[in-house]
Amino acid sequence: MKPDWDTLMSEYKDHATVLIADVDCTASGRSLCDEVGVRGYPTLKWGDPDDLQDYKGGRGLKDLKKFVADLKPPCGPTNQGSCNDAQRKQIEDFTAMGGEKREALIQQKGEEMKAIEDKFKQFSEDIRKEYDTALKKKEADADALNPRELGWLKAVRVLAAQKSAETGQIAGSQSAAKASEEL
């Protein structure tokens, strides 16, 4: 995917209204990635820098080019022309509520989002612990089974099959010799 993304960045390098960029979320870009909700890699986001959306389309160059070509300015306070009636009404309500109420709502929504993230993080940690416990049990159970015995059993089976095949060939040869003597 990286070569296709680099091609797209190059094609839109000097575009007046479209920015195609990448951020290293493991280094200096980590705080930005945390802020915009990047949880895995690679994550593609699009839209207003203050309201980035997850990209859910194809990851090949053809799909990415089509997506970018079809982009229209996203709905938002600075571009209400792309908004439906319900979205425009919500923006109007946020504008009318005043700074203090708006800040309180931003704080509340931020805390709700953090709670959602924390709950997911705890869930992930619990699953990891459960996995680690199950893995240790599996390893202990396998060790208790004595894997060497299983290996020996298989080796003896092969050896027995070889001896059986050799004995069958010898017995077959002796029977043929006896039969020719009787004639």
Side-chain angles (χ1 to χ4, degrees):
M1 185 184 146
K2 178 75 169 131
D4 290 342
W5 190 257
D6 289 343
T7 299
L8 198 64
M9 279 196 310
S10 176
E11 289 181 13
Y12 282 87
K13 180 180 170 193
D14 296 319
H15 197 278
T17 59
V18 175
L19 171 66
I20 308 290
D22 57 18
V23 176
D24 183 352
C25 293
T26 64
S28 61
R30 186 177 185 133
S31 63
L32 174 61
C33 294
D34 289 344
E35 182 181 325
V36 298
V38 172
R39 292 180 198 88
Y41 312 112
T43 295
L44 302 181
K45 299 267 187 177
W46 68 276
D48 185 307
D50 292 320
D51 185 29
L52 292 175
Q53 304 298 310
D54 289 333
Y55 171 76
K56 297 184 187 329
R59 301 284 176 118
L61 184 59
K62 183 179 175 184
D63 292 322
L64 293 168
K65 280 184 172 185
K66 181 175 179 358
F67 180 78
V68 173
D70 292 345
L71 273 178
K72 294 176 181 43
C75 168
T78 59
N79 185 35
Q80 293 187 35
S82 297
C83 299
N84 62 35
D85 290 340
Q87 292 167 325
R88 273 193 290 281
K89 171 76 169 106
Q90 189 168 35
I91 291 169
E92 289 171 13
D93 291 348
F94 290 158
T95 302
M97 76 173 36
E100 200 171 297
K101 280 187 175 181
R102 198 169 31 253
E103 286 304 314
L105 190 56
I106 289 169
Q107 180 73 26
Q108 175 191 340
K109 295 290 184 185
E111 289 171 3
E112 289 173 7
M113 185 58 77
K114 184 178 180 332
I116 290 168
E117 290 292 333
D118 289 348
K119 185 176 181 180
F120 178 77
K121 185 177 178 182
Q122 184 62 52
F123 173 76
S124 297
E125 289 173 9
D126 291 347
I127 286 177
R128 183 69 190 168
K129 286 177 187 174
E130 189 175 333
Y131 172 83
D132 289 344
T133 300
L135 180 61
K136 286 177 185 170
K137 182 178 181 343
K138 175 204 147 246
E139 289 169 351
D141 290 350
D143 286 344
L145 182 63
N146 193 351
R148 181 174 283 179
E149 287 180 3
L150 179 59
W152 287 348
L153 283 166
K154 289 179 180 180
V156 168
R157 176 180 62 192
V158 169
L159 187 60
Q162 288 172 347
K163 284 185 180 182
S164 176
E166 289 172 7
T167 305
Q169 288 174 352
I170 293 171
S173 299
Q174 290 172 348
S175 298
K178 224 177 195 182
S180 59
E181 285 177 10
E182 292 175 359
L183 292 173

